[in-house]
Amino acid sequence: MGAADDAGAFALGDGRALIQTVDIFTPVVDSPADWGRIAAANALSDVYAMGGKPLTALQYLAWPRDVLRFELAAEVIAGGMDVMASASCTVVGGHSIDGPEPTFGFAVTGVVDVGDIVTNAGASVGELLVLTKPIGLGIITTGIKNGTCPEPVADEAVSVMTSLNDVAGASLRPNRASAATDVTGFGLLGHLREMLIASGVGAQVDYAKVPVIEGTVELLEAGMYPGGSKRNLASLRDFVGAAPGESELRILADAQTSGGLLAALPKDGVEGYLRTVPGSTVIGRLVPQLGIEVL
Ligand code: CO
Ligand code: CO
């Protein structure tokens, strides 16, 4: 657990390891089915970030029966099941309780050949940083909760959050990725920092190359910025040396839900990775000096 990796890995003794992770959260969108789909895609993501293939999942649901119709819970569960099926991950069981707030998620077990495990450590100077999904999800979901998010922006965010990191994960080893993580609650810069500390290197991020969902900047300017992102920003101040401006920094520190993979790849592995992973893009490079510079 020391290197802040996305999931635990347990060697089975036959050359393979189990990958285990759990992710549970409260609603981020209004549609119960979409929330269920997002929760499933998000829970699977930690397995993909380790280079693993998901096998089974256990579902967890807390529901305030007296406040919300149970039919809505059924929609949440159906959404989660759909995404798990699309990932060929078998839901083998679960547990539900009466709770004050709807809470949903999965514990996922995957498998990987021990030699193919991709951790946060291993990134080296000269390699390139690749991101596979656009950011802005914390700002947008805050806009959704406040009723200030335009529908096309919300639709795009849901499409980003429900898309699987399966291809992004499966393409890591074949293109010799040296480190990878998924971008979730700590935001792009927070998860990058974990990778840099584990690998003992620094990074330059080209802000102009970071894909940001259209509409994010407007929502940020309208004051939509979640508490988790504020905490990320505060904790990143000492680690980020240079940045073009405050609003850029806010977007880079924004807490994501079911974000993309952030991977370090050698220069001659990048081209193959970009070709196989739709939406992936180079956002920066690794440098000797520990810390982050945003150009
Ligand atoms: Co993760
Ligand atoms: Co996680």
Side-chain angles (χ1 to χ4, degrees), residues 6 21-23 46:
D6 294 294
T21 176
V22 58
D23 262 291
D46 282 326

Side-chain angles (χ1 to χ4, degrees), residues 5-7 23 45-46 49 181-184 191:
D5 272 304
D6 294 294
D23 262 291
S45 185
D46 282 326
T181 187
D182 61 334
V183 179
T184 53
H191 288 283

Side-chain angles (χ1 to χ4, degrees), residues 171-278:
S171 306
L172 292 169
R173 267 305 171 205
N175 294 293
R176 289 173 295 116
S178 58
T181 187
D182 61 334
V183 179
T184 53
F186 297 145
L188 175 59
L189 292 189
H191 288 283
L192 174 57
R193 173 175 57 188
E194 290 185 334
M195 182 190 288
L196 298 177
I197 290 172
S199 301
V201 295
Q204 286 178 338
V205 174
D206 296 318
Y207 181 77
K209 291 190 180 160
V210 176
V212 179
I213 299 171
E214 219 181 300
T216 301
V217 176
E218 290 75 7
L219 286 165
L220 177 65
E221 283 167 357
M224 301 299 114
Y225 202 60
S229 303
K230 285 178 193 155
R231 286 192 292 278
N232 290 344
L233 189 62
S235 86
L236 280 160
R237 293 274 181 210
D238 294 343
F239 202 77
V240 179
E246 190 62 17
S247 82
E248 287 84 352
L249 205 51
R250 280 172 177 257
I251 288 169
L252 294 174
D254 182 37
Q256 306 295 289
T257 298
S258 194
L261 295 195
L262 172 69
L265 288 137
K267 282 194 173 114
D268 54 358
V270 165
E271 202 185 311
Y273 193 83
L274 296 182
R275 211 170 31 235
T276 22
V277 184

Side-chain angles (χ1 to χ4, degrees), residues 5 19 26 42 79 123 142 204 220:
D5 272 304
I19 301 288
T26 53
N42 182 70
T142 302
Q204 286 178 338
L220 177 65

